[in-house]
Amino acid sequence: MTSPGTSNQRATRHAVNLFVGYDIDTPPFGRTRDLSSSGIFVETKDRPSIGDMVDIHMVWGDEDVTCQAKVARHADEGIGLAFVEPNAWYLTCVEEILEASPPVRVGHRPE
């Protein structure tokens, strides 16, 4: 698997709306706008520094999924996070989410 940021080709993004927290015991800090196999965009007012590592937590059905991510970019609406060495279970959950979600057209912001 190519590490985020090492390829010119972006992974297909999917419109996904899930709450995201830093861990299971704290309230969510934002919600997803889109998700791909390599990262996630979170609508939030939080602004960890670009390059910071954060733990992210999502609930998908009955599953709690956690992964470490690197802050890749800031935007007016939130932050882009790149997954860092996600485990197989996390990738399986992400694939299930992507299969259940519509892809985002290039240049189109999901609602």
Side-chain angles (χ1 to χ4, degrees), residues 21-84:
Y22 292 118
D23 62 52
I24 194 167
D25 297 322
T26 59
F29 68 88
R31 67 182 181 130
T32 61
R33 180 175 80 192
D34 59 63
L35 174 71
S36 75
S37 60
S38 62
I40 191 170
F41 187 88
V42 181
E43 294 178 331
T44 182
K45 293 181 189 225
D46 283 9
R47 291 292 184 273
S49 297
I50 293 175
D52 279 0
M53 302 296 278
V54 295
D55 290 324
I56 56 172
H57 171 82
M58 299 182 297
V59 175
W60 173 245
D62 294 333
E63 304 299 330
D64 292 324
V65 290
T66 303
C67 181
Q68 192 171 53
K70 183 176 183 177
V71 179
R73 68 183 183 97
H74 292 166
D76 291 340
E77 310 86 18
I79 56 175
L81 303 171
F83 301 139
V84 177

Side-chain angles (χ1 to χ4, degrees), residues 72-109:
R73 68 183 183 97
H74 292 166
D76 291 340
E77 310 86 18
I79 56 175
L81 303 171
F83 301 139
V84 177
E85 298 180 13
N87 64 37
W89 177 243
Y90 190 85
L91 291 174
T92 296
C93 291
V94 167
E95 287 303 319
E96 287 179 10
I97 295 168
L98 296 179
E99 287 175 10
S101 306
V104 175
R105 292 189 319 266
V106 175
H108 175 76
R109 182 181 182 272

